Amino acid sequence: MSKRPSFKRWFRLSLFALLLLLLVALAVWRGDILRAALDPQVPFQTYTPPAAPDYAKSSAWALRNASTPGSGDASVFFLHSTTFDGGKEWNGPIGDAKADAYLEQIVLPNFAAPFAIAGNVSAPLYRQGSLYSRLTLREDAREARAFAYGDVEDAFEHWLALHPDGPIVLAGVEQGAELLARLLRDRVARDAALKERLVAAYMIDAMVPKDAIALPICSNREDSGCLLAWSMVDEGTTGVVSRRQRRALFWDDKGRLVESGDRPIICVNPVSGADDMLKTDPRRHLGAANAAGLEWGVRPAFIDRAVAAQCRDGFLRNTPLKSESFREQRAWTDRRKAKPYNLFYADIMADVQARLSAWHNKKDTAFRP
């Protein structure tokens, strides 16, 4: 006759089963748990935002007229992507150490630096909507994202006062691109003098409706004064497109973020500089780079002739890079921010340089007797 299991053995088995159940639950609901931990748990209407930045001070700028040897004569206004996770705040305070470190080590080297070939680069700090505000479609989150625009507009006016003439390039990534889209629609497109000065506006990692901004979309690399936007999706991935479409928001006439619905989206291929649906051969790809951690002015090593790209259904479908330096081994929060590398670093450099030349040629033609 077999012995009945002892109490200790039953206890161990029960404890093991409970731990196994907890691990399974954590695996299934990990994202929801981490997302909930970032929720400020206070309505935005009763929330007290952090102190406003003073754009007359250098402390309100991540970059201020930063230049590199041999750069062009344009002035570049760059809006960074989301760097603040959330928690107690709907909007990130100026000077948050963790957010600033991510900005300086990841975002600026990968996404602001390619534009330095066109001229001096300025990048304001602003009370950005937290990462949490981009993980939910709640009205509180939309208001937090809209709140950030006030800082962007103030920074832009201050920057314009310091750069009253000459060619300008405007660029933004992810949240920065979303805010730039509103700045272009509400400020630039309505100002004839600014439109004449505009070399190009780049909205990277953003879904921007074609009919949202009264400025032309770049149709080829010889165009200037036009818009470029793209939202990248690795070829072969599933579910990403539908999720982005469900969460896509854009500004209405009252400055509110509303669903974009099925409005056609701008997609300009950064390899060709065109808004067509032709697939670019990898041999045309000028270079991807992981520039994380590089100091300003240090050019990264490029991996070229490696990425095929095609605008299809409003998204830029690209072949992924399998190199170790382009694998995302990051925390859950960081994986929901802009990528820590730039697949089209050298292509953007070539594009902005070509458009600056086109802008000058257009001005020379206009003044030629």
Side-chain angles (χ1 to χ4, degrees):
M1 185 176 180
S2 61
K3 294 182 179 179
R4 296 175 62 185
S6 67
F7 174 78
K8 288 185 178 179
R9 185 181 177 189
W10 275 113
F11 178 77
R12 289 170 183 165
L13 288 171
S14 299
L15 183 60
F16 175 78
L18 179 60
L19 289 173
L20 184 61
L21 183 63
L22 288 173
L23 288 173
V24 171
L26 181 61
V28 174
W29 293 297
R30 181 171 179 266
D32 293 331
I33 293 169
L34 293 172
R35 186 182 292 108
L38 300 178
D39 188 343
Q41 302 290 337
V42 59
F44 188 82
Q45 291 84 352
T46 61
Y47 167 68
T48 302
D54 180 356
Y55 291 111
K57 298 179 179 179
S58 59
S59 58
W61 297 84
L63 295 172
R64 200 175 192 185
N65 295 329
S67 59
T68 57
S71 60
D73 63 340
S75 296
V76 181
F77 184 76
F78 177 84
L79 293 173
H80 68 76
S81 57
T82 305
T83 61
F84 177 74
D85 293 345
K88 295 181 180 180
E89 303 283 355
W90 277 110
N91 291 82
I94 304 300
D96 180 85
K98 183 180 177 182
D100 285 354
Y102 191 88
L103 174 61
E104 293 168 8
Q105 295 171 17
I106 303 295
V107 181
L108 297 180
N110 281 298
F111 295 103
F115 294 101
I117 197 167
N120 64 80
V121 183
S122 296
L125 300 172
Y126 61 94
R127 289 171 292 178
Q128 60 186 283
S130 67
L131 176 63
Y132 178 77
S133 74
R134 306 188 65 80
L135 299 177
T136 175
L137 294 177
R138 284 169 46 188
E139 190 61 33
D140 289 322
R142 301 187 197 200
E143 291 181 18
R145 290 161 67 174
F147 175 83
Y149 179 72
D151 285 356
V152 167
E153 194 171 39
D154 288 347
F156 184 66
E157 296 302 334
H158 185 90
W159 177 78
L160 280 179
L162 298 176
H163 304 87
D165 50 40
I168 59 174
V169 174
L170 309 180
V173 180
E174 191 245 6
Q175 178 170 182
E178 176 184 277
L179 294 165
L180 176 58
R182 183 176 173 185
L183 187 70
L184 287 162
R185 190 197 68 180
D186 292 357
R187 183 69 178 83
V188 179
R190 298 174 182 178
D191 188 319
L194 285 180
K195 286 197 292 184
E196 286 188 6
R197 294 178 62 192
L198 181 65
V199 172
Y202 296 79
M203 293 166 283
I204 302 170
D205 197 16
M207 295 176 62
V208 182
K210 289 184 177 181
D211 61 354
I213 305 169
L215 290 168
I217 299 168
C218 298
S219 59
N220 58 67
R221 192 152 278 174
E222 287 69 48
D223 284 349
S224 64
C226 53
L227 307 174
L228 299 90
W230 61 86
S231 181
M232 294 182 298
V233 176
D234 284 350
E235 194 71 83
T237 56
T238 59
V240 175
V241 169
S242 58
R243 285 197 300 272
R244 289 192 189 176
Q245 288 173 329
R246 287 196 304 270
R247 304 178 72 86
L249 300 175
F250 199 72
W251 308 97
D252 68 7
D253 293 337
K254 296 180 180 179
R256 300 173 302 189
L257 283 167
V258 297
E259 287 79 4
S260 296
D262 57 358
R263 296 161 72 183
I265 301 298
I266 299 173
C267 182
V268 176
N269 189 328
V271 176
S272 64
D275 68 339
D276 55 38
M277 293 189 292
L278 298 177
K279 187 174 184 178
T280 53
D281 189 278
R283 289 173 295 183
R284 296 183 62 185
H285 174 238
L286 296 179
N290 183 337
L294 291 185
E295 294 182 1
W296 186 259
V298 176
R299 187 165 295 182
F302 294 134
I303 296 179
D304 61 357
R305 301 165 65 88
V307 177
Q310 180 184 24
C311 286
R312 197 164 74 243
D313 301 323
F315 289 88
L316 183 69
R317 315 293 180 119
N318 59 269
T319 52
L321 280 177
K322 297 181 180 179
S323 171
E324 187 66 31
S325 61
F326 290 87
R327 292 181 182 175
E328 294 193 55
Q329 299 174 343
R330 303 188 291 162
W332 183 89
T333 51
D334 290 347
R335 291 200 304 273
R336 278 139 189 87
K337 299 171 185 172
K339 292 184 181 296
Y341 52 79
N342 191 337
L343 287 182
F344 305 105
Y345 190 116
D347 302 272
I348 291 171
M349 289 177 61
D351 192 275
V352 71
Q353 196 170 31
R355 296 191 194 283
L356 181 57
S357 295
W359 183 89
H360 278 294
N361 290 338
K362 187 189 296 183
K363 297 292 286 185
D364 291 343
T365 301
F367 287 108
R368 193 174 298 158

